[in-house]
Every structure is written in C-alpha cells, then in structure tokens.
C-alpha cells in the first residue's frame, strides 16, 4: 500500500481542456518527490487531486490505500496539506501569527496546542520576527514562508508544495531546500513539490516524475531521470 497514489487519473476542465490523462504516481512515507515539467504540463492540477480539491474525471486517488470520498475528504485534508503557487491565495488574516494559527484553530485544537504549533512552524520557517506583521505587506518570499507555516501548523503527513522556490532569492532558496530536507527525517513527513529549478532537484528529491501535456513521461531516481542515454 502506498501512502499516496493516483491510478489512471484523468482530469478534463470545462471547455474540454485535458489537463491530466492516465496519470499514475505514488509517494511513500518519508520520501521527497519532485514533479517537473513545462508550464501547463498538469502539475498543479495533479496536486489539487491529492487532497480532493478537484474530483477525477476518471481514475482515482488513494490516500493510505483508501479512495478519496465525500465522507473522508475532511480527514484527507488533515493528512495532505497543500501550499499553492501563489501565497495570496491562502493568506488572509490581519497578522502573520493569526494566519499561521488559522488552520490549527480550524482543526478544533485547544489554545495551548495551537500556540505550540504556531511557534514551531514560525521557528521552522525562520519567520518568528514577522509574527506581528500584516501578511499583505510582506515580500513575495516572506508570504511564501507564511503560507507554508500555516499548512505545516496543521501537521500534515504529506506536504505538497507547488513551485515553492519561485520568486525566492538565492538565500531563500537555500533555506527552503534545508527546510524540505529536514521534514522526512525529523518529522516523518513526505514532501511532494514542483519546481522549475532543475538544479535543486538532486538536492531535494528522492524520486522524480517528469510531466508533459498532462501525462507522466518519465520517472525514476534523480540519477535515472537526468542520465543521458
Ligand atoms: P518499481 O515500481 O518496480 O519499484 P520504479 O522505477 O517505480 O520501480 O522505482 C525505482 C526505485 O524508486 C525503487 O527503489 C522504488 O522504491 C523507488 N521509488 C519508486 N517510486 C517512488 C516514490 N514515489 N517515492 C520514492 N521512491 C520511489
Ligand atoms: P502546471 O501546473 O504544470 O503549469 P496546470 O495544472 O496549471 O499545469 O495546467 C494544466 C492545463 O490545464 C493547462 O492547459 C491549463 O491551461 C489548464 N487549466 C488549469 N486550470 C484550469 C482551469 N481552472 N480551467 C480550465 N483549464 C485549466
């Protein structure tokens, strides 16, 4: 049984846009999975299937061996946390601290647990200094960290990051790589991410899927995928 798996996943958007066609991917516990491919390849669409934001046109998505259903989608969303490409899509509270607390409060956790999780997430992302700031006034890279902290504070087993390195300066990229690389060992988490920084894939992935035009066109270890035939 895989931690996360898609079987022959196909997604057609309204207007007959085929975004995914017969996609089979798997993710195991404590693994770091990169999904690469050009714009429009279907990466974001795939990610939105991992926690039931989108419903398959055909095929299925299994989390811990169970297909996502209306009944279990709330549980699935605790298990699989997604950070979207554009942080403005998920940041809306008046302060950074409140924003990071939003998810854990929504899970119904008590105040003490919420406070503890917020501290840990702020610390892991190195944004303790931003806690009183207004999220809207932050830089793109800072907002990105706030968005990641907010999802992390819900303590998902699988963290999905859509283009986490986009718009970060070299220091921000290095910090992000270090952060991602801590998650499997220290927290037992699985990380699935997309990136256009191919040079980073070797540093932060165990397994790579290459997508193009809605299909997986390559898969393997970094060595396998980038080896020249
Ligand atoms: P198989 O399906 O026969 O294991 P693959 O080519 O899929 O062959 O996998 C090659 C190697 O990569 C194996 O060691 C496998 O455990 C590992 N692997 C495959 N998929 C993943 C994944 N999603 N995450 C981590 N490791 C993986
Ligand atoms: P990627 O993340 O690899 O850039 P996407 O999953 O965003 O790819 O897009 C895959 C395809 O689906 C593209 O052709 C894109 O234009 C289309 N698409 C994405 N979102 C929508 C939507 N909400 N409605 C219609 N088409 C969409």
């Amino acid at each position: 049984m895989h931690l996360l798996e898609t079987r022959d996943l196909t997604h057609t958007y309204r207007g007959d846009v085929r975004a995914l066609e017969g996609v089979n991917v798997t993710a195991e516990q404590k693994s770091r999975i990169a999904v690469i491919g050009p714009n429009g390849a279907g990466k974001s669409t795939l990610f939105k299937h991992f926690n039931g934001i989108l419903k398959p046109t055909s095929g299925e998505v299994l989390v811990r061996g169970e297909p996502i259903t209306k009944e279990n989608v709330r549980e699935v969303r605790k298990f699989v946390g997604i950070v979207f490409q554009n942080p403005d899509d998920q940041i809306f509270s008046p302060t950074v601290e409140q924003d990071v607390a939003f998810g854990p409060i929504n899970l119904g956790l008590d105040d003490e647990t919420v406070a503890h999780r917020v501290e840990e997430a702020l610390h892991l992302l190195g944004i303790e200094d931003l806690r009183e700031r207004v999220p809207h006034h932050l830089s793109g890279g800072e907002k990105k960290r706030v968005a990641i902290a907010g999802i992390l504070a819900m303590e998902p087993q699988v963290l999905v990051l859509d283009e986490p390195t986009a718009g970060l300066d070299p220091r921000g990229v290095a910090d992000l790589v270090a952060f991602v690389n801590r998650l499997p060992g220290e927290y037992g988490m699985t990380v699935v991410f997309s990136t256009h920084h191919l040079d980073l894939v070797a540093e932060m992935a165990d397994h790579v899927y290459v997508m193009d035009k809605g299909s997986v066109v390559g898969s393997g270890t970094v060595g396998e995928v980038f080896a020249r035939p």
Side-chain angles (χ1 to χ4, degrees), residues 13-14 17-20 37-46 48 85 162 194 196:
Y13 284 109
R14 249 186 300 165
V17 180
R18 287 234 146 178
L20 297 175
N39 285 329
K43 304 180 296 295
S44 299
T45 303
L46 174 64
K48 287 175 186 159
Q85 194 163 345
D162 199 348
S194 60
H196 280 101

Side-chain angles (χ1 to χ4, degrees), residues 117-160:
R117 287 192 179 194
V118 168
E119 279 321 303
E120 192 164 13
L122 292 175
H123 176 69
L124 259 168
L125 274 304
I127 53 173
E128 294 107 317
D129 294 353
L130 302 182
R131 70 174 74 232
E132 305 295 343
R133 299 277 299 277
V134 180
H136 261 301
H137 298 167
L138 300 174
S139 74
E142 289 169 338
K143 283 182 189 172
K144 205 133 212 178
R145 289 182 207 207
V146 172
I148 295 173
I151 298 297
L152 197 69
M154 293 192 276
E155 298 194 351
Q157 281 296 298
V158 182
L159 182 65
V160 181

Side-chain angles (χ1 to χ4, degrees), residues 3 14 29 72 77-78 92 95 105 110 118 139-140 162 164 167 171 189 192 211 216 225 228:
L3 193 70
R14 249 186 300 165
Q29 198 181 358
N72 68 15
R77 286 185 189 161
K78 287 185 204 166
F92 39 79
T95 70
I105 289 172
D110 62 79
V118 168
S139 74
D162 199 348
R171 172 72 197 280
M189 286 171 68
V192 184
M211 292 189 68
V216 173
V225 166
R228 304 218 170 254

Side-chain angles (χ1 to χ4, degrees), residues 34-86:
V35 181
I36 60 175
N39 285 329
K43 304 180 296 295
S44 299
T45 303
L46 174 64
F47 289 173
K48 287 175 186 159
H49 279 278
F50 286 160
N51 73 356
I53 295 171
L54 291 177
K55 267 166 60 182
T57 303
S58 65
E60 56 183 357
V61 181
L62 294 92
V63 177
R64 286 179 292 188
E66 297 285 333
I68 301 176
T69 61
K70 230 182 353 200
E71 288 68 37
N72 68 15
V73 73
R74 266 182 68 87
E75 283 305 309
V76 165
R77 286 185 189 161
K78 287 185 204 166
F79 193 77
V80 181
I82 300 188
V83 181
F84 299 119
Q85 194 163 345
N86 181 358

